[in-house]
Structures are given as structure tokens and as C-alpha cells.
């Protein structure tokens, strides 16, 4: 190595010693499944998040009526979600289309929506991504190789 990766403080240095690399091999035939490969990359690079519960936090005599499992946001299609920011009245979902062609995707939040729109990073309306709200589901049409930020208004 001429320099440490992503660093300016080791010019001409070398990475000596034993190195261990963790890789996944994902064989496929035909066209490249870009969205699938992006999601696999997110799984390799992201650590598992763990929440410990004490017995008094889940051992109650009452039985609730909520589902035992539910997602706060379900995403369908080949879009890859990279970021979610939630505030009191809205949720920003940043996603991208890794493919060359236009892709349809849908977002189904667990809460009711007043509106949904595509915005730029500075909050202006972005009309390059088609957004339609229908019965609590947000339908998107993402251009190829496009990053989109969708504002879901509660």
C-alpha cells in the first residue's frame, strides 16, 4: 500500500501483519441484481442492534391486542433504503434505485398519512420522482441511478 485507505496520516505506509476479511459470495446468473447486492452489502457492513429487556418489562398479567410483529415502514420494490429520519410530524425516507431503468416502489408506514412528496436535500419539491398516495401506501416511480428523499407527512 502507498497510503492507508481513507486516511492522510500514513503516506508511504504499509499494512503489516495478519489481516482477516469477511466476505460474502453471491452467485447469480443473467443481469446483475443490483438492489439485492446493495441490501446484502448493508447486512455485511451493519452490526446487529440489540435491546435487552428485564423480566419486569415484558412479564405482565395483561395481554395486549397488538400484533406480535409489525414494521413501522414496509418497503416493496427494488429501491434500497439508506436513511430514515423521524420527527414529530413527518418522516424522511432516503432511498435509491441502483438499476439503469425506472423502478416502481411502495412505502407502507404503520401510521396514517396526510401527504407524501419527494423533496431535495434542502427541502424543496423534487418532481423527478413521481409520488402518489393511495390508501395509506405511497407509490413511487424512481428514475434509474437516482437517489430520492420522500417526506411522509403524518
Amino acid at each position: 500500500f502507498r497510503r492507508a485507505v481513507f486516511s492522510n496520516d500514513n503516506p508511504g505506509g504499509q499494512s503489516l501483519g495478519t489481516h482477516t476479511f469477511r466476505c460474502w459470495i453471491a452467485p447469480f446468473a443473467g443481469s446483475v441484481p443490483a438492489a439485492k447486492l446493495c441490501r446484502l452489502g448493508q447486512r455485511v457492513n451493519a452490526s446487529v442492534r440489540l435491546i435487552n429487556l428485564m423480566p419486569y418489562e415484558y412479564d405482565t398479567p395483561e395481554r395486549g391486542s397488538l400484533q406480535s410483529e409489525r414494521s413501522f415502514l414496509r418497503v416493496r420494490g427494488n429501491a434500497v433504503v439508506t436513511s430514515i429520519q423521524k420527527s414529530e410530524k413527518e418522516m424522511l425516507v432516503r432511498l435509491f434505485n441502483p438499476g439503469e431503468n425506472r423502478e416502481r416502489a411502495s412505502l407502507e408506514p404503520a401510521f396514517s398519512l396526510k401527504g407524501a412528496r419527494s423533496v431535495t436535500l434542502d427541502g424543496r419539491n423534487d418532481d423527478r420522482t413521481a409520488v402518489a398516495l393511495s390508501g395509506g401506501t405511497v407509490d413511487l416511480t424512481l428514475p434509474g441511478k437516482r437517489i430520492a428523499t420522500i417526506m411522509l407527512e403524518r
Side-chain angles (χ1 to χ4, degrees), residues 10-75:
N10 193 9
Q14 296 181 1
S15 297
L16 302 174
T18 303
H19 301 281
T20 303
F21 298 92
R22 183 175 157 207
C23 305
W24 284 2
I25 297 175
F28 59 88
S31 62
V32 176
K36 181 179 179 180
L37 293 175
C38 287
R39 288 189 200 101
L40 287 172
Q42 287 175 331
R43 288 181 187 164
V44 168
N45 291 323
S47 61
V48 175
R49 295 187 181 176
L50 175 70
I51 299 173
N52 292 317
L53 297 176
M54 300 302 291
Y56 65 85
E57 294 176 301
Y58 60 84
D59 189 22
T60 59
E62 310 89 40
R63 297 297 296 177
S65 59
L66 294 176
Q67 301 170 358
S68 61
E69 183 178 307
R70 179 153 179 171
S71 174
F72 71 93
L73 180 67
R74 175 174 286 159
V75 181

Side-chain angles (χ1 to χ4, degrees), residues 123-144:
R124 293 179 288 134
N125 286 335
D126 179 15
D127 59 356
R128 292 181 61 194
T129 300
V131 178
L133 177 60
S134 172
T137 299
V138 178
D139 295 313
L140 311 169
T141 303
L142 292 162

Side-chain angles (χ1 to χ4, degrees), residues 7 16 24 35 74 91 98 104 113 122 130 134 136 146-149:
S7 175
L16 302 174
W24 284 2
R74 175 174 286 159
M91 181 188 306
R104 298 178 138 222
L113 292 173
D122 59 359
S134 172
R146 173 90 170 128
I147 298 171
T149 302

Side-chain angles (χ1 to χ4, degrees), residues 73-91:
L73 180 67
R74 175 174 286 159
V75 181
R76 297 186 192 274
N78 283 327
V80 177
V81 175
T82 58
S83 160
I84 297 174
Q85 294 177 329
K86 184 175 178 260
S87 68
E88 194 70 28
K89 295 184 180 181
E90 59 199 25
M91 181 188 306

